[in-house]
Amino acid sequence: MKVKIFKINLILLVLVLSFNMGAVIAQPSAERIAEEMTTKYEESLSEIETLSMTIEVNEGGLIPEMTTRYVKKRNENGTPYLDLENGDDMEMDFSAMAGSVDQMVDLIRGAESITEERVDGIGTYKIFVNDSELLKSLDQSEMEMEDMEIVFDAATIWIEISTMNVRKIFMEQTVDGDKNMSMDMSLDDYQVFSGYPVPMSMTMKIGGMSSQFSEEEIAEAREAMREMEKQLSQMPEAQRDAIERQIKPQMEQFERMLESGEGMTMNITVTDVKVNE
């Protein structure tokens, strides 16, 4: 009887080990994911020569619609990529905000860990990176601010398994050596234009903003808001209502940020995409 039980246990152990080994083998390597992303990106640009993208920030807020025009170029290895046509400072590089493919591939290859996780019901690869030298090499042109030193401490990227589209990015940062900030970005409602996928909606949440201001600066900001409210109260009702519809959500959000340390949220919507025009 003991022999039979031992054999049964041994068979069960072998089956469990076989199952676990199969799961390990099935998990793609960082190199495989990086190569798949590169291949998908090259394929998506096969019919693209130029692409114009118009975005609206905070849907009717103070920032007007902006149109950015890209042209397809090739890097030294012959890999195609989209780049700003003229590099105008007033243009917002939407592709850089979503994470350029070259940088994303570097992050995947240098990941500390790669796991699978469902995000809003979608299967994703969860890529965690904490290599300080690799993060330091990232293009930070979209994050640069005057008199502010920003260092990336860690990054987590969620990439949709079936399409290799980036669904979410979370960046942890240190500002001026001792202040913590974070940037949480969601990319939603992907639509495809001549093979190229565009996230039509993005939400960016920046945490820790209030810690970047001194008490004196916060007092000045509150005084400026009170003065603005005073000026609004003296305007004709129709004019006041029109202006409040534009700026009140931003004012309320800024006030919450000052009072509670709540972060700033930006909602970005793509309103128009033109290909090869």
Side-chain angles (χ1 to χ4, degrees), residues 114-125:
I114 298 177
T115 56
E116 293 189 17
E117 183 174 293
R118 297 194 74 78
V119 175
D120 297 329
I122 297 170
T124 69
Y125 294 123

Side-chain angles (χ1 to χ4, degrees), residues 238-252:
Q239 184 181 4
R240 182 178 67 245
D241 290 345
I243 294 176
E244 283 186 341
R245 278 195 299 271
Q246 285 190 316
I247 69 173
K248 194 169 184 179
Q250 286 77 17
M251 289 177 64
E252 290 176 346

Side-chain angles (χ1 to χ4, degrees), residues 50-111:
T50 64
L51 184 143
S52 295
M53 192 180 303
T54 302
I55 68 169
E56 185 177 44
V57 181
N58 285 347
E59 301 173 9
L62 294 176
I63 303 175
E65 279 195 334
M66 290 173 283
T67 299
T68 302
R69 183 175 167 86
Y70 300 90
V71 294
K72 184 164 72 174
K73 297 182 180 179
R74 296 185 181 275
N75 64 19
E76 294 177 357
N77 299 321
T79 303
Y81 68 99
L82 289 179
D83 194 18
L84 293 175
E85 185 177 52
N86 54 28
D88 190 329
D89 290 339
M90 292 302 293
E91 290 187 322
M92 181 176 288
D93 188 353
F94 190 84
S95 66
M97 292 173 63
S100 69
V101 169
D102 285 345
Q103 291 185 3
M104 200 63 65
V105 166
D106 288 341
L107 290 175
I108 293 170
R109 289 187 169 124

Side-chain angles (χ1 to χ4, degrees), residues 12-52:
L12 290 173
L13 178 61
V14 170
L15 288 173
V16 170
L17 288 174
S18 298
F19 176 80
N20 289 337
M21 285 296 290
V24 170
I25 292 170
Q27 178 66 43
S29 66
E31 186 62 32
R32 177 179 162 190
I33 295 173
E35 289 179 357
E36 184 175 353
M37 172 167 273
T38 301
T39 299
K40 290 268 190 184
Y41 187 67
E42 289 184 15
E43 290 174 351
S44 73
L45 287 178
S46 62
E47 298 180 23
I48 305 291
E49 292 302 327
T50 64
L51 184 143
S52 295

